[in-house]
């Protein structure tokens, strides 16, 4: 009996925390990873992310590319952004927020890309989906999630998809 | 040697890697209009994946889902749905608040339908949320993000096929917390 999905690590934030760092989580063992998170907050805000190598954030300008769309009631809007960090998911003060992401090639020396499905709020749900990449052909072993607005409470879990 | 094992595996081998996704329930359904899954959610797992495959229905119909505790469905008007519908070049969005997660899927007659749904925190006394994507057999795509915020810890759920009768296979998986 074998498994296709392997638990790797998790991290939690208590109230008033603003960042969650995972180092040495990406490796040559897995090409793709599942990341799942669940958060509450007292501040409506986007949660940002940067890839890391050797304990250092990559901050290359315009290397992080986001294309995303938002469904809210009967309105759908979309946007494309290039920056020195990703918009990874978004949280709202109205209840629980969740996301699931498949990220591919973070450790491989090729561009990294991911797809995130993000449910923001539980009483006034927003659908926010991100299709994103990092343009550099760089090997990264970690990722940092952080906020500007502070106060994020919840857990992120990371799983690896077996290559073979 | 690297062993990848689920429950009942061989802890004590040179390298033991536990299964991160555990099959909790598999049910084959034949000609049913309602399917209930009891005692599948527990404090062991926060998040779950439900996969329905090979689903045949007698007539095209929207599928409803309700959360369940101790053998009874919760029918309060606290099921919220936000959806984005994509049909060719047309995209539309809508939301609703009803007594079930309406249109959690739409299954077409005479085809083998399928869908998967990820459910967050159903066994916690807090909001339950879910995400699903449903590729319509007529090539439309609909995604639903769902929440149910009564603050009840549920142990199961019900799939309601309405006026149609369905046959297929359902699997419920738990994603390990650590």
């Amino acid at each position: 009996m074998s498994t296709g999905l392997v638990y790797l690590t998790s991290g939690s934030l208590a109230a008033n925390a603003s960042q969650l760092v995972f180092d040495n989580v990406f490796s040559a063992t897995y090409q793709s990873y599942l990341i799942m998170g669940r958060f509450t907050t007292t501040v409506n805000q986007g949660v940002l992310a940067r890839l890391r190598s050797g304990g250092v954030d990559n901050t290359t300008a315009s290397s992080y590319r986001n294309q995303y769309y938002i469904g809210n009631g009967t309105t759908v809007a979309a946007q494309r952004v290039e920056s020195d960090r990703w918009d990874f998911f978004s949280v709202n003060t109205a209840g629980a927020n969740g996301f699931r992401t498949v990220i591919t090639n973070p450790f491989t020396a090729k561009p990294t890309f991911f797809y995130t499905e993000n449910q923001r709020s539980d009483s006034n749900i927003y659908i926010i989906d991100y299709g994103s990449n990092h343009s550099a052909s760089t090997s990264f072993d970690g990722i940092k999630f952080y906020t500007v607005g502070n106060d994020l409470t919840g857990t992120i879990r990371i799983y690896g998809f077996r290559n073979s | 040697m690297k062993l990848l094992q689920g429950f009942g595996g061989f802890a004590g081998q040179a390298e033991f890697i536990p299964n991160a996704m555990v099959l909790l329930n598999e049910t084959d359904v034949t000609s049913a209009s309602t399917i209930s899954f009891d005692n599948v959610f527990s404090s062991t797992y926060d998040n779950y994946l439900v996969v329905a495959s090979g689903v045949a229905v007698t007539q095209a119909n929207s599928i409803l889902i309700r959360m369940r505790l101790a053998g009874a469905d919760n029918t309060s008007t606290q099921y919220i749905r936000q959806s984005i519908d994509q049909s060719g070049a047309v995209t539309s969005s809508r939301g609703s608040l009803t007594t079930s997660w309406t249109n959690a899927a739409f299954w077409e007659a005479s085809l083998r339908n399928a869908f998967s749904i990820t459910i967050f925190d159903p066994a916690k006394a807090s909001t339950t949320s879910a995400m699903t994507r449903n590729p319509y057999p007529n090539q439309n795509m609909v995604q639903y993000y769902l929440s149910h915020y009564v603050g009840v810890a549920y142990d199961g759920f019900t799939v309601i096929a309405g006026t149609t009768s369905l046959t297929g296979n359902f699997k419920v998986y738990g994603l390990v917390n650590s």
Side-chain angles (χ1 to χ4, degrees):
Chain A
M1 179 179 175
S2 65
T3 177
L5 190 68
V6 178
Y7 170 83
L8 300 178
T9 189
S10 63
S12 296
L13 290 174
N16 298 318
S18 63
Q19 71 173 38
L20 191 52
V21 175
F22 296 94
D23 283 327
N24 302 310
V25 64
F26 304 136
S27 71
T29 304
Y30 309 99
Q31 183 175 22
S32 297
Y33 301 80
L34 173 67
I35 305 175
M36 296 182 69
R38 184 89 158 142
F39 286 94
T40 57
T41 182
T42 59
V43 182
N44 295 337
Q45 58 190 322
V47 178
L48 313 173
R50 282 182 170 141
L51 292 164
R52 288 165 65 85
S53 181
V56 178
D57 290 2
N58 179 289
T59 60
T60 306
S62 301
S63 63
Y64 293 83
R65 298 164 174 167
N66 277 124
Q67 173 69 45
Y68 59 88
Y69 62 84
I70 302 172
N72 174 27
T74 58
T75 302
V76 182
Q79 189 166 6
R80 177 178 292 147
V81 178
E82 289 187 358
S83 183
D84 60 357
R85 78 291 182 277
W86 279 320
D87 294 303
F88 208 89
F89 63 97
S90 180
V91 293
N92 184 278
T93 59
N97 307 268
F99 75 93
R100 62 183 182 188
T101 296
V102 174
I103 187 168
T104 298
N105 283 347
F107 192 80
T108 308
K110 295 179 179 178
T112 299
F113 54 92
F114 75 80
Y115 189 86
T116 286
E117 298 164 296
N118 174 199
Q119 178 185 108
R120 191 176 78 175
S121 173
D122 60 17
S123 56
N124 184 23
I125 298 174
Y126 289 66
I127 292 175
I128 309 177
D129 282 5
Y130 305 79
S132 306
N133 71 17
H134 188 281
S135 59
S137 294
T138 302
S139 175
F140 298 105
D141 60 22
I143 189 168
K144 179 176 82 176
F145 299 94
Y146 68 104
T147 69
V148 176
N150 229 342
D151 200 9
L152 204 58
T153 303
T155 300
I156 288 177
R157 297 187 174 94
I158 302 179
Y159 305 84
F161 289 104
R162 282 192 66 205
N163 291 342
S164 59
Chain B
M1 182 171 76
K2 177 178 289 186
L3 286 178
L4 298 165
Q5 298 291 341
F7 276 59
F10 306 110
Q13 293 288 334
E15 186 175 0
F16 174 69
I17 300 176
N19 194 349
M21 196 166 76
V22 180
L23 179 63
L24 303 175
N25 181 290
E26 180 173 10
T27 301
D28 289 311
V29 178
T30 302
S31 301
S33 60
T34 299
I35 313 107
S36 292
F37 297 85
D38 290 323
N39 302 312
V40 290
F41 302 140
S42 71
S43 59
T44 303
Y45 309 98
D46 287 352
N47 305 318
Y48 300 80
L49 176 68
V50 180
V51 178
S53 59
V55 178
V57 292
T58 53
Q59 66 184 67
N61 206 21
S62 295
I63 305 302
L64 286 57
I65 293 177
R66 284 188 172 128
M67 301 306 295
R68 192 169 167 84
L69 175 62
D73 289 358
N74 181 293
T75 59
S76 61
T77 309
Q78 288 173 305
Y79 292 84
I80 297 176
R81 183 200 67 194
Q82 176 68 41
S83 64
I84 291 181
D85 304 45
Q86 300 176 51
S87 175
V90 177
T91 298
S92 60
S93 182
R94 57 195 163 129
S96 68
L97 174 64
T98 58
T99 58
S100 68
W101 283 332
T102 57
N103 298 323
F106 185 90
W107 289 331
E108 195 79 54
S110 305
L111 293 172
R112 307 300 277 181
N113 302 274
F115 96 127
S116 66
I117 182 168
T118 301
I119 304 176
F120 295 86
D121 292 338
K124 290 184 179 177
S126 60
T127 296
T128 297
S129 301
M131 298 177 175
T132 180
R133 282 174 186 267
N134 182 198
Y136 277 33
N138 59 4
Q139 299 181 352
N140 293 357
M141 193 284 283
V142 181
Q143 64 185 109
Y144 305 97
Y145 289 7
L146 312 159
S147 74
H148 179 65
Y149 59 101
V150 297
V152 172
Y154 293 103
D155 62 20
F157 65 101
T158 294
V159 177
I160 303 165
T163 56
T164 189
S165 171
L166 71 85
T167 297
N169 176 270
F170 288 77
K171 294 184 179 72
V172 182
Y173 300 90
L175 288 159
V176 300
N177 291 341
S178 59

